[in-house]
Amino acid sequence: MYWKLYRHIILNSSSHGTKKTTSPDPYKEGDNMKIGFIGAGKVGFSLGKFFAEGGIQVTGYYSRHQESAQQAAQFTNSRFYDGLDKLIEGSDALFLTVPDGTITSVYNELKCHGISGKQICHCSGAMTAEEAFPEISLFGAHGYSIHPLFPVSSKLETYRELSGAFFCVEGNGPHLSAWQNLLSSLGPTVQVIPTGTKTRYHAACAISSNLVCALVQESLELLETCGFSRELALQALTPLIRSNTEHILQDGPIQALTGPMERCDTKTVEKHLSCFPSEGERELYRTVSQKLMETAQAKHPETDYTYMEKILKEGKKN
């Protein structure tokens, strides 16, 4: 059975840090992996339900906001804890689903209760496990970052979509492959990434998700200056954004590229630069277009983009 194999991997891995610690195994052979949550926001709700629906045992929830922890426990058919000791004792792994700025302080609190033999996980895209859990091996535990590359927008609904998400796992402990296998068994594609690349990984995610929002906002504001209402502007852009996004995802950004940059239409780009009301907006257009020009050159290596490059670097207008 998968779970017996998995627990064998988890509980019989290499030693916990610089000195080997031994502690009695409180679980019987064949028991499931037990996961507890500290923090009961959208991520805690969603991951807990996702795990529970996949047959992983969710021990329960602890939160300083007790009502949220009680709701999460009910949602996942698990237990509400009013203190950390029992949650730690009954869990193999603890997910710290709290705001990024409080992950390390919560970890420091956990250390006071004893974490030997435990796996401590966070879901921050930006922080490494080492940053979040300094010197964790000295306490006989291992730290991991397990980041769903997915917008967790709803406490009650997002879990339904996580089987189609992409997860990235990072850390220096011996359980990386086990986490990759466990998560993969629930449906997602899982990638283990080196610790030194975590910041670049998160920047890539932010560009594809958050920064796109800024570009759409800029488009809406420009259309409003053309007489569109905000609602009509969004309606007008919807089929354009949807079709382009689908093409990017199907064929990649190089093949999906259209417009004046692909055509090396320098006159149109100069006109675009002249219509922005502020230098900041012109700089945004130039900066993004410079990257777009590299994409266009990859699609049309025979085209000379020398003058286009000059326009973008100098912000030249007619």
Side-chain angles (χ1 to χ4, degrees):
M1 184 178 178
Y2 171 79
W3 286 114
K4 289 187 178 182
L5 175 62
Y6 177 74
R7 281 197 53 75
H8 179 79
I9 294 171
I10 290 291
L11 297 176
N12 294 280
S13 301
S14 58
S15 62
H16 301 297
T18 55
K19 65 176 183 177
K20 186 171 183 177
T21 62
T22 58
S23 58
D25 179 6
Y27 309 105
K28 297 178 181 179
E29 181 67 20
D31 280 356
N32 291 351
M33 176 72 167
K34 296 179 174 67
I35 298 178
F37 285 85
I38 299 172
K42 290 186 290 187
V43 174
F45 264 71
S46 300
L47 275 183
K49 186 69 169 179
F50 178 58
F51 288 151
E53 291 284 298
I56 300 173
Q57 185 171 347
V58 175
T59 313
Y61 289 80
Y62 168 82
S63 175
R64 290 188 173 88
H65 305 285
Q66 290 193 1
E67 183 177 355
S68 295
Q70 290 169 339
Q71 292 172 350
Q74 182 178 13
F75 185 56
T76 57
N77 194 29
S78 63
R79 179 179 170 184
F80 160 69
Y81 290 84
D82 58 8
L84 286 172
D85 286 336
K86 292 294 185 181
L87 177 63
I88 296 171
E89 180 183 349
S91 304
D92 298 309
L94 294 161
F95 273 72
L96 277 54
T97 48
V98 297
D100 286 15
T102 64
I103 290 173
T104 301
S105 62
V106 173
Y107 158 70
N108 287 332
E109 185 178 351
L110 283 181
K111 293 188 303 187
C112 299
H113 294 265
I115 56 174
S116 179
K118 306 298 180 181
Q119 298 174 54
I120 313 299
C121 307
H122 71 76
C123 300
S124 167
M127 297 177 71
T128 66
E130 185 177 8
E131 289 172 328
F133 312 129
E135 299 183 331
I136 191 171
S137 63
L138 299 180
F139 297 89
H142 295 288
Y144 302 95
S145 68
I146 297 176
H147 180 241
L149 210 170
F150 197 83
V152 181
S153 57
S154 168
K155 288 198 303 185
L156 304 180
E157 299 295 335
T158 296
Y159 79 92
R160 303 178 189 276
E161 303 175 85
L162 290 180
S163 62
F166 198 108
F167 278 69
C168 280
V169 181
E170 175 272 333
N172 293 319
H175 311 104
L176 283 173
S177 294
W179 278 112
Q180 186 175 25
N181 292 337
L182 185 150
L183 292 166
S184 296
S185 74
L186 302 179
T189 301
V190 185
Q191 174 74 26
V192 175
I193 60 174
T195 295
T197 67
K198 189 69 187 292
T199 300
R200 293 197 297 276
Y201 156 77
H202 191 250
C205 298
I207 290 169
S208 289
S209 179
N210 310 139
L211 268 62
V212 169
C213 295
L215 295 175
V216 173
Q217 178 68 17
E218 182 70 19
S219 296
L220 292 172
E221 292 174 1
L222 281 171
L223 286 179
E224 286 178 322
T225 67
C226 302
F228 286 72
S229 67
R230 174 55 59 97
E231 294 75 15
L232 189 60
L234 189 57
Q235 180 183 344
L237 290 176
T238 294
L240 176 66
I241 294 171
R242 180 175 290 128
S243 176
N244 194 51
T245 300
E246 289 175 354
H247 197 183
I248 290 171
L249 297 178
Q250 179 176 340
D251 302 317
I254 294 176
Q255 293 305 314
L257 180 61
T258 62
M261 191 59 65
E262 188 209 7
R263 301 190 301 268
C264 197
D265 185 349
T266 55
K267 290 186 178 180
T268 296
V269 171
E270 287 177 322
K271 289 179 179 179
H272 286 176
L273 285 166
S274 71
C275 75
F276 292 105
S278 71
E279 177 56 32
E281 289 171 303
R282 286 190 290 276
E283 183 60 27
L284 173 65
Y285 183 92
R286 287 196 294 264
T287 301
V288 176
S289 294
Q290 283 173 348
K291 188 65 180 180
L292 200 62
M293 183 178 65
E294 296 175 14
T295 305
Q297 288 175 311
K299 188 173 184 178
H300 300 292
E302 75 286 353
T303 301
D304 184 2
Y305 282 85
T306 303
Y307 186 60
M308 180 70 79
E309 185 175 9
K310 180 179 180 182
I311 292 171
L312 294 176
K313 285 186 175 180
E314 298 179 1
K316 179 180 177 182
K317 301 184 297 180
N318 286 337

